[in-house]
Amino acid sequence: MRYFIGLLIIVSIFSCNKKDNNNDLPPQTIVTSDTSGVTGELTVHTYYYKDGGNTATSLSNADVFLYASYDDIQVDLQSSNNNLAIYRITEDGTNSAYFGYINYGDYYVLGMKEEAGNHYEEISIVQVRPLRDEHLNLYLEIK
């Protein structure tokens, strides 16, 4: 009986020890910063000088293209495909092409429009900065 009571005491001592939690998974890390912190918004406004005048007039329904490099514009202009553009927007009754949120960096913009038998076109560069709402005024000229 003495052995039985001793065994019961030893078992109860070891069973009361605190369980080791080293094998538990660490708590999940929750990401609280949004990746849009490296993006900015871009809106391009198109204008032209009507009939060679000195006053810029809003040019609505122009085609506006966004490119990563100037060489891409040159290739597209030679082939007239415009398939190297990152974004292609035809303004919907306004003179504003909204490109939304895009990654920060330098971009090339091509605007063009056929109106009254004239071909208007212009190329410009724009820098999109993080967390900024960038606006580019693009003045198209007869080409």
Side-chain angles (χ1 to χ4, degrees):
M1 185 75 161
R2 201 187 292 184
Y3 290 110
F4 178 71
I5 293 177
L7 183 62
L8 187 61
I9 291 174
I10 291 174
V11 169
S12 61
I13 290 174
F14 284 109
S15 65
C16 290
N17 283 344
K18 185 177 177 183
K19 187 175 180 179
D20 187 12
N21 289 330
N22 288 338
N23 293 331
D24 290 345
L25 295 174
Q28 183 179 4
T29 303
I30 298 173
V31 178
T32 58
S33 62
D34 187 16
T35 59
S36 67
V38 297
T39 63
E41 291 179 271
L42 175 61
T43 305
V44 177
H45 306 281
T46 54
Y47 300 92
Y48 73 126
Y49 293 102
K50 192 173 183 179
D51 300 324
N54 293 332
T55 305
T57 305
S58 294
L59 180 62
S60 57
N61 299 321
D63 295 320
V64 183
F65 305 91
L66 188 68
Y67 289 89
S69 75
Y70 183 78
D71 292 337
D72 290 346
I73 292 176
Q74 296 306 313
V75 169
D76 274 357
L77 286 176
Q78 290 171 4
S79 66
S80 69
N81 288 334
N82 300 318
N83 58 0
L84 296 177
I86 299 170
Y87 294 106
R88 302 166 189 85
I89 295 179
T90 299
E91 300 165 341
D92 187 22
T94 67
N95 76 318
S96 297
Y98 176 68
F99 288 96
Y101 289 95
I102 57 177
N103 288 335
Y104 72 92
D106 296 332
Y107 295 92
Y108 292 87
V109 177
L110 167 65
M112 60 175 60
K113 167 119 190 221
E114 298 288 334
E115 183 165 303
N118 294 320
H119 176 75
Y120 294 91
E121 182 179 299
E122 189 60 47
I123 299 171
S124 186
I125 189 169
V126 64
Q127 184 179 55
V128 176
R129 295 169 284 185
L131 304 174
R132 298 281 304 260
D133 186 6
E134 307 289 352
H135 290 265
L136 172 67
N137 292 330
L138 192 62
Y139 297 90
L140 282 67
E141 298 178 357
I142 294 177
K143 299 288 178 178

